[in-house]
Amino acid sequence: MKKRVVIGLAAYTVVLLAACLYIIGTIERGTSRLDRIIQLHQVEILREHFLIQVKQVQVDLALRNTRHSGQFDTMVENFLKMKSVSAVCLDCHHNPDTHARLLDLQETTGRYQEHLSRLMTLRGSAERVAAEEDAAFQVGLELTDKVGRMVALTSARLTESTDRSLREISAFKKLLYVMLVMGPLLSLGLGGIILLGFTRPMDKLIDATRALKAGNLDHKVEGLKDEFGELAGSFNEMSASLKEQMHKMHRAEQMAIVGQLAAGFAHEVKNPMAGIKVAMSVLSGEPYIPPEDKAVLAKVMGEITRLEGLMRDFLNFAKPQKPRFEPVNLNHVLNTTLAFYLKSHSIGAGGKERHRIVKDFGEIPRVLADVSQLQQVFLNLFLNALDAMPEGGTLRVETRREGDGGPVRIAIADTGKGIPEELIDKIFEPFFTTKVKGTGLGLAISRQLIEQHNGTIEAAGRAEGGTVFTIRIPAVSTENERQA
């Protein structure tokens, strides 16, 4: 999010800077063009003023020696004005074509001045004076014509240039108005985008916090990116950790309850049960007891034995024995458990012929473990697997090392009916069982023992049918093995 905000502000700054540079450049060009037009208008005024002076001198020349003739000083004054204006007009232009025209105009003006000068100083016959007046008047007409045509030509060009500049100024004015209107709208849009970029993720996080407060620890924050994505990931990890801690607290409370129950049960039931078992054993040995009654007594003793096993499970779950760790090869432990328990007891409704055992043991390092506790766990899983396959099936036991330096993985899979997906997360809870005569403590005790080995145990359904239990136990390093 921070990166997008920086990029957005940078782009906005570049656009504003480009707009400012365009406005400044356009104003500078427009100002320069207007200065040029003003200068051209001033030149145009000079030309018209020059034309007026020439015409004034022509009038003075035409009225000379008549009763409407002006003073000689006035004619001299007009001649000097025309001369000064013609010099100023020549200095104002630098265009080659115009400069050539002005040089021609200056040349004609020079001849006109020469005729006028001679006329003003001539003191000869009347015919010579008349001839000089006619020559000066003709040159004056030529000069008037040239100046008039130049004024007409430059006036048309100046009008066209002025109109074009005014149109450009009008177009720029409209563009400037649009930019002035679009500037605040662009700022508002950019601010809205940045605001939404903050408020949407914040709304999701607030909703997640409220869900967590309401007790929904499975709520996940998804769909966020950048810094908010990292925050959402941390939130999800926190909720998962909180759920795990609450689950552990729940289990601890259950264990405390079971411990109290087991202690009271052992105190109140175990000793009387032992007395009853001894009495039943003595009574079954009496010769006057008929065989059918002895069979009943044997069933009673069997039930007493089952109750003793139940109490032992209670005690083991509530007060597990402290493990005695030693370097252990799990392949040997599994082999021993399979050989001495499953085969020797021929467990299963159909006998060992209906169950196929597949061992796929890889090369694995040794682990620090309590052999007796691991045998208890493996035996419990083997018995559950065989119970899940009353019609026969395959029990597969596999061991592998997960990665370089990873834990040792033990997979125990059966081809039975499997466990419903909705019950997978509950099978490790104390007193939860799907068996008719089960206590619901076997898998709970197994997980407890595995966790004492800093390991994990989990169950999952198999796509081809059945269930697979996966146990992971940290491998022991060479140094730890030496210390052990």
Side-chain angles (χ1 to χ4, degrees):
M1 186 63 196
K2 180 180 178 181
K3 182 178 179 181
R4 288 194 295 175
V5 171
V6 171
I7 293 175
L9 291 177
Y12 181 71
T13 303
V14 170
V15 171
L16 284 183
L17 184 60
C20 291
L21 292 177
Y22 174 75
I23 292 173
I24 292 173
T26 305
I27 291 176
E28 288 295 327
R29 288 192 299 273
T31 304
S32 177
R33 191 177 295 112
L34 288 177
D35 290 341
R36 177 65 177 169
I37 291 173
I38 292 172
Q39 186 178 10
L40 291 177
H41 275 287
Q42 290 176 345
V43 172
E44 187 68 17
I45 292 173
L46 287 177
R47 289 197 190 100
E48 292 178 353
H49 184 59
F50 179 69
L51 181 60
I52 293 173
Q53 292 300 326
V54 172
K55 289 181 177 179
Q56 184 61 46
V57 172
Q58 284 289 92
V59 170
D60 292 341
L61 186 60
L63 297 177
R64 190 167 181 267
N65 299 324
T66 66
R67 63 185 181 91
H68 300 290
S69 174
Q71 296 295 327
F72 181 76
D73 295 338
T74 302
M75 186 175 178
V76 172
E77 183 181 356
N78 291 333
F79 171 74
L80 293 176
K81 286 182 179 179
M82 180 195 70
K83 185 177 181 180
S84 61
V85 169
S86 64
V88 173
C89 186
L90 182 62
D91 294 338
C92 295
H93 294 275
H94 302 281
N95 184 279
D97 179 62
T98 305
H99 192 73
R101 290 173 178 270
L102 286 176
L103 287 177
D104 180 61
L105 191 63
Q106 189 181 35
E107 188 273 333
T108 306
T109 304
R111 286 191 291 114
Y112 189 46
Q113 290 175 357
E114 290 176 357
H115 285 290
L116 290 178
S117 297
R118 283 197 298 270
L119 182 62
M120 291 178 184
T121 56
L122 187 61
R123 293 295 184 267
S125 60
E127 290 80 7
R128 187 178 177 185
V129 172
E132 193 63 34
E133 286 178 354
D134 291 339
F137 192 79
Q138 291 300 323
V139 174
L141 290 177
E142 180 184 358
L143 181 61
T144 302
D145 180 64
K146 290 182 178 179
V147 174
R149 283 191 279 113
M150 177 172 285
V151 169
L153 177 62
T154 55
S155 178
R157 291 179 179 178
L158 183 59
T159 301
E160 181 182 356
S161 178
T162 302
D163 292 341
R164 184 170 61 253
S165 297
L166 290 176
R167 288 195 299 270
E168 291 177 358
I169 291 173
S170 177
F172 174 71
K173 184 172 65 176
K174 293 178 181 177
L175 179 60
L176 186 61
Y177 289 161
V178 172
M179 293 174 67
L180 290 175
V181 174
M182 291 300 295
L185 294 178
L186 182 62
S187 301
L188 183 62
L190 181 62
I193 292 174
I194 294 176
L195 186 62
L196 289 176
F198 279 103
T199 55
R200 286 179 178 174
M202 290 301 297
D203 289 341
K204 284 192 174 184
L205 291 174
I206 291 174
D207 292 340
T209 305
R210 289 171 178 168
L212 191 65
K213 182 180 178 181
N216 184 9
L217 300 181
D218 294 324
H219 184 83
K220 301 294 182 185
V221 182
E222 297 177 347
L224 300 184
K225 300 179 180 178
D226 303 328
E227 291 84 354
F228 288 106
E230 295 179 3
L231 184 59
S234 299
F235 183 87
N236 292 337
E237 292 177 358
M238 181 187 69
S239 62
S241 176
L242 184 59
K243 181 180 179 181
E244 183 180 356
Q245 294 300 323
M246 291 188 66
H247 188 62
K248 289 182 178 179
M249 291 175 60
H250 180 64
R251 285 179 52 200
E253 291 176 355
Q254 287 182 323
M255 290 180 63
I257 294 173
V258 171
Q260 294 176 357
L261 181 62
F265 200 72
H267 179 71
E268 298 294 337
V269 178
K270 187 175 180 180
N271 291 335
M273 195 67 67
I276 294 173
K277 185 177 180 181
V278 171
M280 291 297 104
S281 177
V282 172
L283 185 59
S284 62
E286 295 295 333
Y288 60 86
I289 300 296
E292 57 274 15
D293 293 339
K294 288 184 178 180
V296 174
L297 291 175
K299 290 182 179 178
V300 172
M301 293 178 64
E303 291 299 321
I304 291 174
T305 301
R306 192 176 69 82
L307 290 175
E308 288 177 341
L310 178 61
M311 285 189 293
R312 186 168 56 252
D313 287 345
F314 273 131
L315 291 174
N316 287 337
F317 183 76
K319 297 179 180 178
Q321 294 181 353
K322 186 176 181 181
R324 292 178 295 180
F325 292 112
E326 58 180 332
V328 173
N329 188 314
L330 290 177
N331 289 340
H332 294 167
V333 177
L334 289 167
N335 261 328
T336 301
T337 307
L338 288 170
F340 289 93
Y341 285 88
L342 293 181
K343 291 186 178 180
S344 62
H345 289 77
S346 296
I347 300 172
K352 61 182 180 182
E353 294 81 7
R354 305 182 62 179
H355 295 99
R356 178 170 170 260
I357 298 176
V358 177
K359 295 183 288 186
D360 182 9
F361 295 159
E363 293 185 3
I364 56 174
R366 294 198 290 183
V367 301
L368 285 179
D370 186 312
V371 176
S372 62
Q373 290 187 353
L374 289 186
Q375 286 179 334
Q376 181 182 349
V377 173
F378 296 150
L379 178 60
N380 182 55
L381 296 179
F382 296 156
L383 293 174
N384 287 341
L386 294 179
D387 288 342
M389 300 182 293
E391 304 299 328
T394 300
L395 172 63
R396 182 182 181 85
V397 184
E398 177 185 296
T399 59
R400 290 288 187 277
R401 176 75 180 274
E402 289 192 338
D404 186 13
V408 175
R409 176 172 55 82
I410 307 103
I412 300 173
D414 63 68
T415 57
K417 57 184 179 182
I419 302 174
E421 188 69 24
E422 63 274 14
L423 300 181
I424 285 291
D425 294 334
K426 297 181 179 179
I427 60 175
F428 292 105
E429 294 180 359
F431 309 114
F432 180 83
T433 181
T434 58
K435 300 178 182 178
V436 178
K437 294 185 178 180
T439 62
L441 291 175
L443 289 177
I445 293 173
S446 295
R447 182 171 66 177
Q448 190 179 52
L449 296 179
I450 292 299
E451 289 179 348
Q452 286 188 150
H453 290 71
N454 295 322
T456 62
I457 181 173
E458 59 186 17
R462 302 174 69 225
E464 59 273 28
T467 306
V468 56
F469 286 85
T470 304
I471 299 173
R472 292 181 175 83
I473 299 177
V476 61
S477 63
T478 305
E479 182 178 354
N480 291 336
E481 185 176 356
R482 192 182 307 113
Q483 292 176 356

